[in-house]
Amino acid sequence: MTTPSPHTDPRGFLRALYDAAVARALPAETTAPWLPQPPEGRTVVIGAGKAGGAMAQAVDALWPEDAPLSGLVVTRYDHVPPAYKAKPGRIEVVEAAHPVPDEAGRRAAQRIAQLAQGLTADDLVLCLISGGGSALLSLPAPGISLEEKQAINKALLKSGAAIDEMNCVRKHLSAIKGGRLATHCAPARVVTLLISDVPGDAPEVIASGPTVPDSTTCADALAILNRYGIDIPPAARAGLESGAFESPKPGDARFAGHQVHMIATPRQSLEAAAAMARAAGITPYILSDEIEGESREVGKVHAALARSVAHAGTPFAKPCVILSGGETTVTVKSKGGRGGRATEFLLGCAIALQGQPGVHVLAADTDGIDGVEDNAGAIVTPDTLARARAMGMKAQEFLDANNAYGFFAPLSDLVIPGPTFTNVNDFRALLIT
């Protein structure tokens, strides 16, 4: 398939880069090298995340037909690959809510915890973990209700807290995350396959690390809650203050012999997009796969860099494409707005670009969903602001209202691929010609 020309079809070119980044992270392409040999006993597959359905599908297809295989994985609603949904395999896949957990997720987490019980040293637990698992694998700590956990989760999502901060709190208020799931599996061997959606690819942060030791503490979780002014119920506070909710730490003997493999990362996806750009005659520059910060502010910084390239040819010569990844945040200050990290980044970027000629920008989440909307992201073009003004829309007003979706939808600039069945987080590409 020919890559669209960056000069005559910049939109198509940017979309092709996004598609290449997503393709690099698909479980069907990345799982085989990391699968262990079947054990003497049973193989039980458990897991959670937006890529969970596709990971289960890949394992089921690759695992020997004559070797025992069973298990349960939970993924987001509508995130089971159609072929596996139409013809389920040996691994059951159920769906639940994301980013705020629901009763279906609680039931799935409870069933997964039960599957981890009663195993022997001859058994193997294959744990499939990807971004989104924190919400999908929701089994509250003793004394905390699902409704209370939902309220805390909503407050965290609106607070502007970074992903590692949110997951620190989540795992200390959980009966299954923060390494606890792995301890339930003893004495079976646990092999965890990870698709990273977090800056730095730390296994203990991805989906709140259900099968790996946790280096954070109850005191850390309390400090984060206090920092963002988030109220928690008395039982949750008591558990954190007393240390009763402490998670298993590095060095715990129950993790001995376990293995953790990173099968897809944001950096690999950025490299795939860079290779496609290079093949099309455009020099790529990868800023980082670990960029964090307030989405609109990160958008302004990217715009300043693009304007410098366009005006002065520094720090990069044009034509070029600037790529970045990571996980930005949105501090929600207005009710009723729609949008996620990608579109808020783009709106901040568009305002700062001020119609800069020759600059086209795509930002999208690699799972295909920006926040809770039906789009992955959107595209900014040199005439974005002019087209918006012609429709009576003022970009700053939409940004102030946290309504980036409402800005880009009338312009027909949303990127809507549908669920991609993987998740290596934010993808951003700025084409300067």
Side-chain angles (χ1 to χ4, degrees):
M1 182 175 172
T2 303
T3 303
S5 167
H7 301 286
T8 60
D9 185 9
R11 284 174 175 265
F13 175 73
L14 289 173
R15 177 59 191 267
L17 296 187
Y18 169 76
D19 290 342
V22 168
R24 175 60 182 83
L26 291 175
E29 306 299 323
T30 62
T31 301
W34 306 107
L35 285 180
Q37 292 296 313
E40 291 184 15
R42 302 162 53 207
T43 297
V44 177
V45 179
I46 55 179
K50 297 176 190 174
M55 294 178 84
Q57 181 184 40
V59 170
D60 186 59
L62 293 165
W63 202 253
E65 290 187 9
D66 58 350
L69 185 72
S70 62
L72 174 66
V73 172
V74 57
T75 192
R76 183 175 178 165
Y77 290 120
D78 299 322
H79 277 59
V80 180
Y84 201 73
K85 196 162 192 174
K87 187 178 180 181
R90 292 170 284 179
I91 305 165
E92 182 183 356
V93 180
V94 297
E95 299 175 333
H98 178 279
V100 177
D102 66 355
E103 177 60 23
R106 190 201 64 78
R107 288 196 303 267
Q110 192 167 44
R111 289 182 60 198
I112 286 170
Q114 291 169 347
L115 285 174
Q117 305 286 338
L119 300 174
T120 73
D122 290 332
D123 297 328
L124 169 70
V125 175
L126 198 55
C127 195
L128 312 179
I129 297 295
S130 57
S134 288
L136 296 163
L137 202 64
S138 187
L139 191 61
I144 302 175
S145 70
L146 177 62
E147 292 74 22
E148 289 169 336
K149 194 82 179 286
Q150 288 171 326
I152 295 168
N153 206 59
K154 288 177 181 177
L156 284 168
L157 289 167
K158 292 181 179 180
S159 70
I163 185 63
D164 59 329
E165 294 177 312
M166 287 194 286
N167 285 359
C168 174
V169 173
R170 286 163 166 167
K171 56 192 169 186
H172 283 94
L173 298 178
S174 172
I176 198 169
K177 296 191 279 283
R180 294 178 181 87
L181 180 56
T183 65
H184 294 331
C185 298
R189 184 166 67 101
V190 178
V191 175
T192 301
L193 304 185
L194 291 171
I195 292 181
S196 174
D197 72 324
V198 302
D201 304 330
E204 68 175 87
V205 179
I206 302 166
S208 298
T211 59
V212 296
D214 176 33
S215 63
T216 68
T217 66
C218 286
D220 294 329
L222 275 170
I224 291 164
L225 290 164
N226 292 335
R227 184 178 309 138
Y228 293 101
I230 297 172
D231 291 326
I232 56 175
R237 184 165 294 279
L240 292 176
E241 289 179 343
S242 68
F245 290 168
E246 199 52 86
S247 51
K249 300 292 177 247
D252 191 311
R254 291 173 292 183
F255 296 100
H258 293 193
Q259 294 179 307
V260 177
H261 302 298
M262 202 76 65
I263 70 170
T265 67
R267 167 64 63 167
Q268 292 168 347
S269 285
L270 291 176
E271 293 285 3
M276 174 172 280
R278 207 172 287 116
I282 296 293
T283 304
Y285 297 96
I286 298 176
L287 292 184
S288 172
D289 63 342
E290 300 185 34
I291 292 177
E292 299 180 84
E294 194 69 26
S295 294
R296 64 181 67 192
E297 300 303 323
V298 175
K300 292 177 184 177
V301 172
H302 279 64
L305 181 57
R307 285 172 66 88
S308 179
V309 172
H311 289 156
T314 61
F316 312 126
K318 61 180 183 180
C320 68
V321 63
I322 299 169
L323 303 170
S324 75
E327 181 162 354
T328 60
T329 53
V330 175
T331 303
V332 180
K333 297 180 179 180
S334 179
K335 293 183 179 180
R338 298 178 63 191
R341 298 190 308 267
T343 47
E344 183 131 337
F345 163 91
L346 286 165
L347 192 46
C349 186
I351 293 170
L353 282 171
Q354 285 298 306
Q356 176 64 49
V359 177
H360 294 75
V361 187
L362 179 147
D365 198 315
T366 52
D367 69 356
I369 306 294
D370 187 26
V372 296
E373 304 300 340
D374 60 0
N375 66 313
I379 292 178
V380 166
T381 63
D383 64 349
T384 291
L385 296 183
R387 287 185 289 122
R389 284 193 295 268
M391 298 177 70
M393 297 193 299
K394 296 180 180 179
Q396 189 62 50
E397 291 181 357
F398 281 81
L399 186 59
D400 292 342
N402 294 119
N403 192 21
Y405 184 101
F407 178 82
F408 287 106
L411 298 174
S412 299
D413 285 339
L414 295 175
V415 174
I416 307 178
T420 63
F421 312 113
T422 190
N423 181 24
V424 288
N425 238 319
D426 300 344
F427 175 84
R428 295 176 287 268
L430 293 85
L431 174 66
I432 304 103
T433 56

